[in-house]
Structures are given as structure tokens and as C-alpha cells.
Amino acid sequence: MPFALLLASAVVACGGEPTQGIARGGQLFDTCAPCHGTDAGGNQHLGAPAIAGLPAWYVKSQLDKFQSGARGMHPADTAGIRMKSMALALDLAGDVESVAEYVASLPRVAQAATVVGNADAGRAAYAVCSACHGVQGNGTEALGAPPLAGFSDWYHAVQLEKFRDGLRGTSPQDIQGATMRPNALTLSDEAIADLVAYIQTLQ
Amino acid sequence: MIERMVLQASSYAASVDGLILLITVLVGFWFLMAEGVFFWLIFKFREKPGRKAMYITGEKKSHKKWISIPHGLVLVCDVFIIIGAVKVWYNVKQHLPEPDYEVRVIGQQWAWVFQTPGPDGVLDTDDDIQTVDKLHVETDKTYHFKLESRDVIHSFSVPVFRLKQDAVPGRSITGWFHPTRTGTYDIQCAEICGIGHGVMAGQIVVHDAPEYASWVSDNAAAQ
């Protein structure tokens, strides 16, 4: 990785722009791999979710938010702050798109259930979520709602808590976050566990 | 001289620069002298017809003086450096002037988080203002900072203040600064702290009194 980035930097320093695309995305992803894993399967200990197979539009939208400060700027959002800083390393035009394309091309990594909750109770609560995220949790690009089914359940729980507690979704620039936050405001820890347990049953 | 390259914006920046300049001048003088004598000797005793190379043991007084006299003079210079260094070190690191404000500085991979007193001017109260990447302070006030780390060792470095202090997990390290010039200046991490170390940058915004009061008022309400 360092060699690839050094090479890329050297090319830029010599006046040449690197060719953007999935190959460069793969090179840039070496910076993401220490936390998200080389297979992008995530690492709960580092607060880094599984991202392999997320749609490119969603990866790009989140990287854009981290770069603009719409996400990852709450003082208590330790993992978000970490991601905000790393997103700033994608500083050449087209870098974000290239990484997003690469991440989207990776095969999804099966995620074990880590959150214990009552999936039956969560099914009813999910009715609200399905309006944007889809009945099967496959997401809706037009609404900026990412797919949920098959991704890290612990991450979903953590993000719902962040939305509820105001660590995420409070920036005026974060339109989707502002939509999520009121939906999370009424959720107790137990309700979040139930909801996430239900999402984990969707495939 | 150094200020032409990096501004001096704290009360002790000039003294740190003075010390660096003193060391540079003394060490630089002896470096140039040593190199000058070295090349002069090479030239003076270069190969000449009829003169053979000769091994000398360096025991004669006339030979030893080339080492002993500079050695003694360098030690005299060291005394000046040590006196200057101890004075600066004491002022910056050992001595804590009475603060006007306290702030908390928290390093984490890979950003700086700051906790600043709210309108009551007291840290660790409900009206504190928390910020990421930007520390807002008032000029001509003395600050105590409580430096902490959430994960690994970082180093809180403000070049225009000539301030650098490691942040160690599990410890709260108290230091001080006194901004003397308004403006926005860089904060950096000066300790390799992981893959994002290079992007762990922040800014310190030094306001004048009315501007700072306005910032506190606006942001305390926004918290």
C-alpha cells in the first residue's frame, strides 16, 4: 500500500494525474484495509463496519459527507471522527468515485449475528424503516437509504444509537441523517436490539 | 530570524527561538571551524615531491593542542547552551503561571477534540463547548491545557506557539500557553500514531476579546 500511494503521489508530483477507475480504487483501498479488512468484511473492535458490496452511490455519499464535515464531526463520535480524517486522504478528483466503485465490486462478506434481540418484536418496528430501506432491507437509491440486509448488525445498532443520541444526523448538510434522526429518537436500547435482530433475518 | 519562517504567536515562542538560534550559532561555528581546519590540514600536508607520509601518535603537546584547546572552548559553549536550555525548559515545562482559562485537548486517531469553557469561563461545567479540529482561544490570556489521549500516543504540536507535548493514554498532562497574536494557525500531531497520522491536522483560532466573547456566546447556545 505505502508503495502504491507513494508511486501515485510521485506520479502526481511529476505533473501527471493518475487514471481513475476501479484499479486506482483498489490501490486507494489499501488505506481502508487496516480497519475495514482486506476483504472489507469489517472489524467490530475498531468500529469499522463491513462495506464489501455496498452500492457505489452510497459509499460515495458517505465519503462526501465525511469530507464535507456533514458526518464524523461530533466530539463523542470516535469512530466517525476517525473515518472523517481518513476520508480527507482521498484528495484527488475522482478518488472517492474510484474507491466507491472498488468497494461496490467486492463480494459481500457474511456477517455473524452479534446483537441479541427479539426479531419478532423488531418486525413491527421495521415497518417504519421499510418505507425507505425496503421491505427486504435492500435500500433505495432515490431516497439515499442504504441496504441493510446482510451487513454488520452491531454497526446498525451503534448507528441507531448515534442518531438517537445526536452524534449523527444533526448536521444541516446531512439530509438523510436528518431523516433518520427523528425515527431513532424514540427507540430504547431494547427496541434497537429487537430491530437489528429482525434486520439480521433479512437476506 | 526564525520568525521569518514560522510566526511567533505565544509568549514563550521567542525564547525557544533564541535557544535554537544560540545552539545553531555555537554548533555551526564549531562545525565550520572543524571542517575548515580539517581541509586546511589536508591541503597543507598534501603530497609533495620528497615528502613521505608519516604516522604520528598525537602525544606531543604541539599535536594535542588541536584537540584540547577546541575541546575546552566547546565545553565553555556547552555551559551557555545548558544555562539557556534550562531557563527555557523551566519557563515552558516546569513553571505554570496562573491561568485565565483551562481547556481540555484530546487526541484520538486521527483528530483533535477540544473542550473549552462556556460563558461561565470554567471548564468541566454544563456549558462547556466541545469542538473537533478547531480550538478557539482568546489572545493575551494564559491557558492551562489538560492533554489526554483516547487511544495511542499523540503529540500536540502548535508550531507558531513553539509548543509540543506528548499525549499519553491514561494520563492527563497539564501545560500552558499564552497566545500573543490573533489569527488561525496549524495544529499538528508530532508523533506517528497510525495510518492516518499524516491527516491528523487541526487549527487554533486566536480571537481578540470581543470576537472570542461572541464565539463563546454563539457556540454555547448551539451545544
Side-chain angles (χ1 to χ4, degrees), chain A residues 1 30-31 34-35 72-79 81-82 84-86 88-89, chain B residues 108-114 130-133 150-151 195-197 199-201 223:
Chain A
M1 177 285 297
D30 286 344
T31 312
C35 292
M73 286 300 283
H74 192 286
D77 184 6
T78 305
I81 289 174
R82 191 183 303 136
K84 178 270 301 176
S85 299
M86 292 311 296
L88 292 173
Chain B
Q108 73 147 80
Q109 290 175 322
W110 290 282
W112 295 102
V113 176
F114 304 103
Q130 291 197 312
T131 52
V132 178
D133 288 344
R150 282 179 175 166
D151 37 47
I195 194 167
H197 167 69
V199 291
M200 188 170 167
Q223 290 286 304

CSV table of all heavy atoms in Angstrom, one decimal, chain A residues 1 30-31 34-35 72-79 81-82 84-86 88-89, chain B residues 108-114 130-133 150-151 195-197 199-201 223:
chain,number,residue,atom,x,y,z
A,1,MET,N,0.8,-1.2,0.0
A,1,MET,CA,0.0,0.0,0.0
A,1,MET,C,0.8,1.3,0.0
A,1,MET,O,0.7,2.1,-0.9
A,1,MET,CB,-1.0,0.0,1.2
A,1,MET,CG,-1.8,1.2,1.4
A,1,MET,SD,-1.0,2.7,2.0
A,1,MET,CE,-0.5,2.1,3.6
A,30,ASP,N,-6.2,0.2,0.0
A,30,ASP,CA,-5.2,-0.2,0.9
A,30,ASP,C,-5.1,0.6,2.2
A,30,ASP,O,-4.7,0.2,3.2
A,30,ASP,CB,-3.8,-0.2,0.2
A,30,ASP,CG,-3.6,-1.4,-0.8
A,30,ASP,OD1,-4.5,-2.3,-0.7
A,30,ASP,OD2,-2.7,-1.3,-1.6
A,31,THR,N,-5.5,1.9,2.0
A,31,THR,CA,-5.6,2.8,3.2
A,31,THR,C,-6.8,2.4,4.1
A,31,THR,O,-6.7,2.6,5.3
A,31,THR,CB,-5.8,4.2,2.7
A,31,THR,OG1,-4.8,4.5,1.7
A,31,THR,CG2,-5.5,5.2,3.9
A,34,PRO,N,-6.6,-1.5,6.8
A,34,PRO,CA,-6.2,-1.7,8.2
A,34,PRO,C,-7.4,-1.8,9.1
A,34,PRO,O,-7.4,-2.5,10.1
A,34,PRO,CB,-5.3,-0.6,8.5
A,34,PRO,CG,-4.7,-0.2,7.2
A,34,PRO,CD,-5.8,-0.4,6.2
A,35,CYS,N,-8.5,-1.0,8.8
A,35,CYS,CA,-9.7,-1.1,9.7
A,35,CYS,C,-10.8,-1.9,9.2
A,35,CYS,O,-11.3,-2.8,9.8
A,35,CYS,CB,-10.2,0.4,9.9
A,35,CYS,SG,-9.1,1.4,10.9
A,72,GLY,N,-19.2,12.7,11.1
A,72,GLY,CA,-17.9,12.5,11.8
A,72,GLY,C,-17.3,13.7,12.4
A,72,GLY,O,-16.1,13.8,12.6
A,73,MET,N,-18.2,14.7,12.8
A,73,MET,CA,-17.7,15.9,13.5
A,73,MET,C,-18.2,16.1,14.9
A,73,MET,O,-18.0,17.1,15.5
A,73,MET,CB,-18.0,17.1,12.6
A,73,MET,CG,-17.2,17.3,11.4
A,73,MET,SD,-15.4,17.4,11.7
A,73,MET,CE,-15.3,19.1,12.2
A,74,HIS,N,-18.9,15.1,15.4
A,74,HIS,CA,-19.4,15.2,16.8
A,74,HIS,C,-18.3,14.7,17.7
A,74,HIS,O,-17.7,13.7,17.5
A,74,HIS,CB,-20.6,14.3,17.0
A,74,HIS,CG,-21.3,14.6,18.3
A,74,HIS,ND1,-20.8,14.2,19.5
A,74,HIS,CD2,-22.4,15.3,18.6
A,74,HIS,CE1,-21.6,14.6,20.5
A,74,HIS,NE2,-22.6,15.3,20.0
A,75,PRO,N,-18.0,15.5,18.7
A,75,PRO,CA,-16.8,15.2,19.6
A,75,PRO,C,-16.8,13.8,20.2
A,75,PRO,O,-15.8,13.3,20.5
A,75,PRO,CB,-16.9,16.3,20.7
A,75,PRO,CG,-17.6,17.4,20.1
A,75,PRO,CD,-18.6,16.8,19.1
A,76,ALA,N,-18.0,13.3,20.4
A,76,ALA,CA,-18.1,12.0,21.0
A,76,ALA,C,-18.2,10.8,20.0
A,76,ALA,O,-18.2,9.6,20.4
A,76,ALA,CB,-19.4,11.9,21.9
A,77,ASP,N,-18.2,11.1,18.8
A,77,ASP,CA,-18.3,10.1,17.7
A,77,ASP,C,-16.9,9.6,17.3
A,77,ASP,O,-16.4,10.0,16.3
A,77,ASP,CB,-19.1,10.6,16.5
A,77,ASP,CG,-19.3,9.6,15.4
A,77,ASP,OD1,-18.9,8.4,15.7
A,77,ASP,OD2,-19.8,9.9,14.3
A,78,THR,N,-16.3,8.8,18.2
A,78,THR,CA,-14.9,8.5,18.0
A,78,THR,C,-14.6,7.8,16.6
A,78,THR,O,-13.7,8.2,15.9
A,78,THR,CB,-14.4,7.5,19.1
A,78,THR,OG1,-14.7,8.2,20.4
A,78,THR,CG2,-12.9,7.2,19.1
A,79,ALA,N,-15.4,6.8,16.3
A,79,ALA,CA,-15.2,6.1,15.1
A,79,ALA,C,-15.5,7.0,13.9
A,79,ALA,O,-14.8,6.9,12.8
A,79,ALA,CB,-16.1,4.8,15.0
A,81,ILE,N,-15.2,10.3,13.7
A,81,ILE,CA,-14.1,11.2,13.6
A,81,ILE,C,-12.9,10.5,12.9
A,81,ILE,O,-12.2,11.1,12.0
A,81,ILE,CB,-13.6,11.7,15.0
A,81,ILE,CG1,-14.7,12.6,15.6
A,81,ILE,CG2,-12.3,12.4,14.9
A,81,ILE,CD1,-14.4,13.1,17.0
A,82,ARG,N,-12.6,9.3,13.3
A,82,ARG,CA,-11.5,8.5,12.6
A,82,ARG,C,-11.8,8.4,11.1
A,82,ARG,O,-10.9,8.6,10.3
A,82,ARG,CB,-11.4,7.2,13.2
A,82,ARG,CG,-10.2,6.4,12.9
A,82,ARG,CD,-10.1,5.0,13.5
A,82,ARG,NE,-10.3,5.1,14.9
A,82,ARG,CZ,-11.1,4.2,15.6
A,82,ARG,NH1,-11.8,3.3,15.0
A,82,ARG,NH2,-11.1,4.3,16.9
A,84,LYS,N,-13.7,10.4,9.3
A,84,LYS,CA,-13.7,11.7,8.7
A,84,LYS,C,-12.3,12.0,8.3
A,84,LYS,O,-12.0,12.5,7.2
A,84,LYS,CB,-14.2,12.7,9.8
A,84,LYS,CG,-14.2,14.2,9.4
A,84,LYS,CD,-12.9,14.9,9.7
A,84,LYS,CE,-12.6,14.9,11.1
A,84,LYS,NZ,-11.3,15.5,11.4
A,85,SER,N,-11.3,11.8,9.2
A,85,SER,CA,-9.9,12.1,8.8
A,85,SER,C,-9.4,11.3,7.7
A,85,SER,O,-8.7,11.8,6.8
A,85,SER,CB,-9.0,11.9,10.1
A,85,SER,OG,-9.4,12.7,11.1
A,86,MET,N,-9.8,10.0,7.7
A,86,MET,CA,-9.3,9.1,6.6
A,86,MET,C,-9.9,9.5,5.2
A,86,MET,O,-9.2,9.4,4.2
A,86,MET,CB,-9.6,7.6,6.9
A,86,MET,CG,-8.8,7.1,8.1
A,86,MET,SD,-7.0,7.4,8.0
A,86,MET,CE,-6.5,6.5,6.5
A,88,LEU,N,-10.5,12.3,4.2
A,88,LEU,CA,-9.8,13.5,3.7
A,88,LEU,C,-8.5,13.1,2.9
A,88,LEU,O,-8.0,13.9,2.2
A,88,LEU,CB,-9.4,14.5,4.9
A,88,LEU,CG,-10.6,15.2,5.5
A,88,LEU,CD1,-10.2,15.9,6.7
A,88,LEU,CD2,-11.3,16.1,4.5
A,89,ALA,N,-8.1,11.9,3.2
A,89,ALA,CA,-6.9,11.4,2.4
A,89,ALA,C,-7.2,11.2,0.9
A,89,ALA,O,-6.3,11.1,0.1
A,89,ALA,CB,-6.3,10.2,3.1
B,108,GLN,N,-7.1,11.8,19.4
B,108,GLN,CA,-7.6,10.5,19.0
B,108,GLN,C,-7.2,10.2,17.6
B,108,GLN,O,-6.9,11.1,16.9
B,108,GLN,CB,-9.1,10.4,19.2
B,108,GLN,CG,-9.9,11.1,18.2
B,108,GLN,CD,-11.2,10.4,17.9
B,108,GLN,OE1,-12.1,10.6,18.7
B,108,GLN,NE2,-11.3,9.7,16.8
B,109,GLN,N,-7.2,8.9,17.2
B,109,GLN,CA,-6.9,8.6,15.8
B,109,GLN,C,-8.1,9.1,15.0
B,109,GLN,O,-9.2,8.6,15.1
B,109,GLN,CB,-6.7,7.1,15.6
B,109,GLN,CG,-5.4,6.6,16.3
B,109,GLN,CD,-5.3,5.1,16.2
B,109,GLN,OE1,-6.3,4.4,16.3
B,109,GLN,NE2,-4.1,4.6,15.9
B,110,TRP,N,-8.0,10.1,14.1
B,110,TRP,CA,-6.9,10.9,13.8
B,110,TRP,C,-7.3,12.4,13.8
B,110,TRP,O,-7.5,12.9,12.7
B,110,TRP,CB,-6.3,10.5,12.5
B,110,TRP,CG,-5.6,9.1,12.6
B,110,TRP,CD1,-4.4,8.9,13.2
B,110,TRP,CD2,-6.1,7.9,12.2
B,110,TRP,NE1,-4.1,7.5,13.1
B,110,TRP,CE2,-5.2,6.9,12.6
B,110,TRP,CE3,-7.4,7.4,11.7
B,110,TRP,CZ2,-5.4,5.5,12.4
B,110,TRP,CZ3,-7.6,6.1,11.5
B,110,TRP,CH2,-6.6,5.1,11.8
B,111,ALA,N,-7.7,12.9,14.9
B,111,ALA,CA,-8.2,14.2,15.0
B,111,ALA,C,-8.0,14.7,16.4
B,111,ALA,O,-7.7,14.0,17.4
B,111,ALA,CB,-9.7,14.3,14.7
B,112,TRP,N,-8.1,16.0,16.6
B,112,TRP,CA,-8.1,16.7,17.9
B,112,TRP,C,-9.5,17.1,18.3
B,112,TRP,O,-10.2,17.7,17.5
B,112,TRP,CB,-7.1,17.9,17.9
B,112,TRP,CG,-5.7,17.5,17.6
B,112,TRP,CD1,-5.1,17.7,16.4
B,112,TRP,CD2,-4.8,17.0,18.5
B,112,TRP,NE1,-3.8,17.2,16.5
B,112,TRP,CE2,-3.6,16.8,17.8
B,112,TRP,CE3,-4.8,16.6,19.8
B,112,TRP,CZ2,-2.4,16.3,18.4
B,112,TRP,CZ3,-3.7,16.1,20.4
B,112,TRP,CH2,-2.5,15.9,19.7
B,113,VAL,N,-9.8,16.8,19.6
B,113,VAL,CA,-11.1,17.2,20.1
B,113,VAL,C,-10.8,18.1,21.3
B,113,VAL,O,-9.9,17.9,22.1
B,113,VAL,CB,-11.9,15.9,20.6
B,113,VAL,CG1,-13.2,16.4,21.3
B,113,VAL,CG2,-12.2,15.0,19.5
B,114,PHE,N,-11.6,19.2,21.3
B,114,PHE,CA,-11.3,20.2,22.3
B,114,PHE,C,-12.5,20.5,23.2
B,114,PHE,O,-13.7,20.5,22.7
B,114,PHE,CB,-10.9,21.6,21.6
B,114,PHE,CG,-9.7,21.4,20.7
B,114,PHE,CD1,-9.9,21.3,19.3
B,114,PHE,CD2,-8.4,21.2,21.2
B,114,PHE,CE1,-8.8,21.1,18.4
B,114,PHE,CE2,-7.3,21.1,20.3
B,114,PHE,CZ,-7.5,21.0,19.0
B,130,GLN,N,-17.7,21.8,23.1
B,130,GLN,CA,-16.8,20.8,22.5
B,130,GLN,C,-16.7,21.0,21.0
B,130,GLN,O,-17.7,21.3,20.3
B,130,GLN,CB,-17.3,19.4,22.8
B,130,GLN,CG,-17.2,19.1,24.3
B,130,GLN,CD,-17.4,17.6,24.6
B,130,GLN,OE1,-18.3,17.0,24.1
B,130,GLN,NE2,-16.5,17.1,25.3
B,131,THR,N,-15.5,20.9,20.5
B,131,THR,CA,-15.2,21.1,19.1
B,131,THR,C,-14.3,20.0,18.6
B,131,THR,O,-13.5,19.4,19.3
B,131,THR,CB,-14.6,22.5,18.8
B,131,THR,OG1,-13.5,22.7,19.6
B,131,THR,CG2,-15.6,23.6,19.0
B,132,VAL,N,-14.4,19.8,17.3
B,132,VAL,CA,-13.4,18.8,16.6
B,132,VAL,C,-12.6,19.7,15.7
B,132,VAL,O,-13.1,20.5,14.9
B,132,VAL,CB,-14.2,17.7,15.9
B,132,VAL,CG1,-13.3,16.8,15.1
B,132,VAL,CG2,-15.1,17.0,16.8
B,133,ASP,N,-11.3,19.4,15.7
B,133,ASP,CA,-10.3,20.0,14.8
B,133,ASP,C,-10.0,21.5,15.0
B,133,ASP,O,-9.0,22.0,14.5
B,133,ASP,CB,-10.8,19.9,13.3
B,133,ASP,CG,-10.7,18.5,12.8
B,133,ASP,OD1,-10.0,17.7,13.4
B,133,ASP,OD2,-11.3,18.2,11.7
B,150,ARG,N,-7.3,9.3,23.6
B,150,ARG,CA,-8.3,8.3,23.7
B,150,ARG,C,-7.8,6.9,23.3
B,150,ARG,O,-8.4,5.9,23.5
B,150,ARG,CB,-9.5,8.6,22.8
B,150,ARG,CG,-10.4,9.7,23.3
B,150,ARG,CD,-11.5,10.0,22.4
B,150,ARG,NE,-12.5,10.9,22.9
B,150,ARG,CZ,-13.4,11.6,22.2
B,150,ARG,NH1,-13.5,11.4,20.9
B,150,ARG,NH2,-14.2,12.4,22.8
B,151,ASP,N,-6.6,6.9,22.7
B,151,ASP,CA,-6.1,5.6,22.1
B,151,ASP,C,-4.6,5.4,22.3
B,151,ASP,O,-4.2,4.7,23.1
B,151,ASP,CB,-6.6,5.4,20.7
B,151,ASP,CG,-6.6,6.7,19.9
B,151,ASP,OD1,-5.6,7.4,19.9
B,151,ASP,OD2,-7.6,7.0,19.2
B,195,ILE,N,-2.1,4.9,10.7
B,195,ILE,CA,-2.1,5.2,9.2
B,195,ILE,C,-2.6,6.6,8.9
B,195,ILE,O,-2.2,7.1,7.9
B,195,ILE,CB,-2.9,4.1,8.5
B,195,ILE,CG1,-2.6,4.1,7.0
B,195,ILE,CG2,-4.4,4.2,8.8
B,195,ILE,CD1,-3.1,2.9,6.3
B,196,GLY,N,-3.4,7.1,9.7
B,196,GLY,CA,-4.0,8.5,9.4
B,196,GLY,C,-3.2,9.6,10.1
B,196,GLY,O,-3.7,10.8,10.1
B,197,HIS,N,-2.0,9.3,10.6
B,197,HIS,CA,-1.2,10.4,11.3
B,197,HIS,C,-1.0,11.6,10.4
B,197,HIS,O,-1.1,12.7,10.9
B,197,HIS,CB,0.1,9.8,11.7
B,197,HIS,CG,1.1,10.8,12.1
B,197,HIS,ND1,1.0,11.5,13.3
B,197,HIS,CD2,2.3,11.2,11.5
B,197,HIS,CE1,2.1,12.3,13.4
B,197,HIS,NE2,2.8,12.2,12.4
B,199,VAL,N,-2.9,12.9,8.3
B,199,VAL,CA,-4.0,13.8,8.1
B,199,VAL,C,-4.6,14.3,9.5
B,199,VAL,O,-5.7,14.9,9.5
B,199,VAL,CB,-5.2,13.1,7.3
B,199,VAL,CG1,-4.7,12.9,5.9
B,199,VAL,CG2,-5.6,11.8,7.9
B,200,MET,N,-3.8,14.1,10.5
B,200,MET,CA,-4.3,14.5,11.9
B,200,MET,C,-3.9,16.0,12.1
B,200,MET,O,-3.0,16.3,12.9
B,200,MET,CB,-3.7,13.6,13.0
B,200,MET,CG,-4.3,13.9,14.3
B,200,MET,SD,-3.8,12.6,15.5
B,200,MET,CE,-4.3,13.4,17.0
B,201,ALA,N,-4.7,16.8,11.4
B,201,ALA,CA,-4.4,18.2,11.5
B,201,ALA,C,-5.5,19.0,12.1
B,201,ALA,O,-6.7,18.5,12.0
B,201,ALA,CB,-4.1,18.8,10.1
B,223,GLN,N,-24.7,24.3,21.6
B,223,GLN,CA,-24.3,23.0,22.1
B,223,GLN,C,-25.6,22.2,22.4
B,223,GLN,O,-26.5,22.7,23.0
B,223,GLN,CB,-23.4,23.1,23.3
B,223,GLN,CG,-22.0,23.6,22.9
B,223,GLN,CD,-21.2,22.6,22.2
B,223,GLN,OE1,-21.0,21.5,22.7
B,223,GLN,NE2,-20.7,22.9,21.0
